[in-house]
Structure formats: structure tokens, C-alpha cells
Amino acid sequence: MKVFACPAFSLAKKIAKKLNAKFSGIEIKYFPDNEIYLRFKERVDEEVILVQSLAKKPNERLVELIFSSLTAKDLGARKVIAVIPYLAYMRQDKRFKKGECISARVLAEILQASEIDALFTLNPHLHRIKSLSEIYRIPAFELSCEGEIAKYIQKKFSKDEWVLVGPDIESTNFVRRISRISGFDHFILRKRRISSKKVKIFVSKLKPSKKNAIIIDDILSTGETLIKTIKELKKLGFRKFFCIVVHLLSEKGLKKVEKFCKVVSTNSVPSRVSKIDVSEVFSLAIKRYLTEKPIREIDELF
Ligand code: R5P
């Protein structure tokens, strides 16, 4: 079994190491007319793991993944496992306006048509779609890094001074589980999205507090959600802030939030603040899948 990354991606190397599998790269170039050129640098084994985050330039990254998967099969792979630490397009999970594309479903169809046999991803944005199995016919595992984030919090902060905050209803289960594992108190705010770049955060039911807040969210894109959360909590008397996100999608958004407080993310998307390593989450789940242990046991791990 070989783990290939398209393009070189440090998380892929870590996953390969934990699986005792060989790591190799895929050479990807773009021609002057923007067509893609792709070449597997080493022989493709029967089982291939492709690691590709669909972050930042999701359309380019997706085409690279499609070409890689179909090429791996063409070169003799029997099974292609896609590790997609950040699964893009999950927020457009319904037709909000007549005629719109339901992107999450279309992406599922594209990946399945690309002959991917199984998919592993991390904390996908599941809201109206409750589980990937609703839209994927292939085994699709939504893993979670709650344990990793809880460990990070326990190491760096004191429960007497800091509380965990989820900025919106969608963050409820995630933040609640981190709170349960870490032993830190938590509360969840309400958010209304006004446009793709504007949100309103509601804290009206909260009492004033002199504590510090660790705000936890799945995605940092424009930074608006985190900034508005900090501003509202400040009005209530909260003193210090720290933000933790799973998928850091924009350097510009990050810089905006950093004007208010420190931010760390997981390495699902590599960046200068990706301090929380999630390779173990993937390697354990893949090991379980390949040794054909019941899927239930994968859940129990997290
Ligand atoms: C959506 O509800 C997500 O959970 C995030 O809160 C959101 O995508 C963050 O985006 P932004 O940084 O643009 O506010």
C-alpha cells in the first residue's frame, strides 16, 4: 500500500508513517493554457491512498484528485482510498433559492464517478445533511478531532479561567463533546448569516462574566464569525480570547482575527498556525477500515 499526496502535503507523510506505508508524491503541473499535467512518481500498488485537502482553491484541488484517482485505477490500483481532510462544498447542502446547485450532493457524485472506493474526511460541515452516508454510496467516514482539540486545551489552559464557546447552533455537538472530554465548561451562541461576508452573533441570554473565552469553530473563512463573537463577548466583560478552528481556509481571514487574539488550527489545511496534528485520527480509522473491523469501532475511538 502506498500513500500519495497531490501535491506534497506534510499531513500525508505523517499518515503514511503511522500506517507503515510508503509515501510518494504526484507530480502536478499546469500548462500555459491551465490544463493539468499529472504523473505518479512511483509505481502504483493495488491499494492506494490519495491525500488531498479541497481547501483554498477547491476547484483546482478537486480536478487534481479526480485525475489522480482515475489515473491510479488506469495504472492498476484496485482500491483507491481518498483522504480529504477538508471536504469542500458542504455548506451548500440545500437549494436555498430556486435553480441552485446542491453542491454537497454534486461533489459526492463527482467523487464516486472518479472511482474512489472509500473516503475519509475530518469534521465536515454537516448541518441539514446529518451524515455523509446520506449522500455517498461508497463508505464515507466523517472523523472528528474533538479528542485532539481537547488535549490541546487541557495542556494550554486552566479550567478555572477559561470557558469554551461555540459561535452557532451547528457547533453544538462538536463543542459539547470537546467540553465533555476536556472537563472545561462551555456555552453555545446563536448566529444569523446576513451574507457570505456578514454575520450577527446573539449573546442576549448570557450573564456578564470576567472569564476568558476559547472560541471553537469548524471553519475560518472570512473570520467574520470569530470576530463578531469576540466583540459580543467583550461587551459582556470577557477578558481574553483564543480561537481554535479545524479548517483554516484563508490567510486573509486569519490575519483579521489575529488582530483580536491568537488562532490555532489543525493541520487539515497546512498553515503557519496548524499546531494540532490530526494524522493519528486518520491513520487509526484507515487501519480499522483496512483490517475490516466494524465501523462502529471507529466511532468508539473518537
Ligand atoms: C458556518 O456556519 C461555519 O460553521 C463557520 O462558522 C463559518 O463557515 C465561518 O466562516 P467565516 O469565517 O466566513 O465567518
Side-chain angles (χ1 to χ4, degrees):
M1 181 176 67
K2 272 199 193 94
V3 175
F4 286 94
C6 41
F9 182 10
S10 65
L11 175 63
K13 281 188 196 153
K14 288 190 171 138
I15 294 174
K17 199 167 172 207
K18 294 203 161 89
L19 289 172
N20 283 326
K22 207 169 166 210
F23 172 80
S24 184
I26 299 174
E27 184 186 352
I28 295 178
K29 291 191 287 202
Y30 283 86
F31 290 109
D33 57 6
N34 280 326
E35 284 182 7
I36 189 172
Y37 166 92
L38 186 146
R39 185 180 72 88
F40 279 77
K41 289 185 180 165
E42 285 181 45
R43 197 177 58 79
V44 163
D45 294 344
E46 285 209 343
E47 263 169 5
V48 164
I49 298 178
L50 295 177
V51 186
Q52 174 79 317
S53 240
L54 300 180
K56 295 188 177 166
K57 289 192 174 165
N59 302 335
E60 273 180 29
R61 299 289 88 85
L62 176 61
V63 172
E64 291 167 5
L65 181 59
I66 296 168
F67 276 57
S68 303
S69 175
L70 291 170
T71 305
K73 285 282 171 82
D74 189 34
L75 292 170
R78 265 195 321 107
K79 192 181 241 177
V80 170
I81 297 171
V83 172
I84 311 180
Y86 173 65
L87 190 63
Y89 287 117
M90 290 303 293
R91 284 171 288 179
Q92 182 76 20
D93 58 357
K94 80 168 210 184
R95 216 183 303 288
F96 297 92
K97 284 190 200 145
K98 216 167 148 193
E100 273 180 357
C101 160
I102 305 175
S103 310
R105 288 184 185 274
V106 171
L107 179 70
E109 291 307 320
I110 293 171
L111 294 179
Q112 288 168 141
S114 309
E115 298 189 23
I116 286 169
D117 298 286
L119 178 156
F120 290 80
T121 188
L122 188 73
N123 296 97
H125 189 81
L126 294 170
H127 184 202
R128 283 152 289 249
I129 294 169
K130 299 289 174 224
S131 151
L132 292 180
S133 60
E134 283 176 33
I135 53 172
Y136 283 85
R137 295 177 297 279
I138 55 170
F141 302 104
E142 57 242 17
L143 311 179
S144 180
C145 57
E146 290 142 2
E148 271 58 26
I149 293 183
K151 265 186 254 159
Y152 182 87
I153 289 170
Q154 283 171 324
K155 221 188 282 170
K156 302 260 173 197
F157 302 95
S158 136
K159 334 184 181 185
D160 302 329
E161 294 166 18
W162 293 80
V163 284
L164 313 184
V165 181
D168 51 28
I169 291 284
E170 288 112 296
S171 66
T172 306
N173 291 339
F174 183 50
V175 175
R176 191 182 285 157
R177 282 196 290 258
I178 296 173
S179 158
R180 203 180 308 139
I181 305 170
S182 64
F184 280 58
D185 289 337
H186 78 285
F187 58 85
I188 308 293
L189 304 178
R190 299 289 176 271
K191 173 169 100 180
R192 190 165 73 227
R193 187 161 281 287
I194 294 152
S195 71
S196 59
K197 291 188 181 156
K198 242 181 153 199
V199 301
K200 197 164 167 33
I201 297 284
F202 300 91
V203 291
S204 51
K205 287 189 182 145
L206 285 181
K207 290 194 199 108
S209 168
K210 295 270 172 254
K211 284 210 167 182
N212 306 320
I214 303 170
I215 306 161
I216 307 174
D217 205 359
D218 58 347
I219 293 170
L220 189 166
S221 177
T222 62
E224 173 79 356
T225 299
L226 298 174
I227 291 170
K228 286 285 163 64
T229 304
I230 293 171
K231 285 186 174 168
E232 289 303 320
L233 292 177
K234 259 190 182 166
K235 289 184 202 161
L236 283 175
F238 279 81
R239 291 170 196 269
K240 288 192 217 156
F241 301 91
F242 192 92
C243 291
I244 301 180
V245 294
V246 181
H247 310 292
L248 178 61
L249 300 189
S250 156
E251 176 67 26
K252 202 170 149 199
L254 170 64
K255 281 195 179 135
K256 282 189 188 163
V257 182
E258 282 179 328
K259 289 192 181 133
F260 295 82
C261 71
K262 199 170 166 193
V263 181
V264 303
S265 74
T266 75
N267 54 352
S268 80
V269 183
S271 81
R272 61 186 165 81
V273 300
S274 40
K275 306 278 183 221
I276 303 175
D277 178 30
V278 291
S279 58
E280 182 94 353
V281 177
F282 283 105
S283 58
L284 281 174
I286 295 168
K287 267 186 208 162
R288 289 290 173 115
Y289 170 71
L290 291 173
T291 52
E292 290 175 354
K293 288 261 167 63
I295 294 163
R296 196 169 22 84
E297 291 183 23
I298 298 179
D299 290 341
E300 281 165 11
L301 283 169
F302 311 103

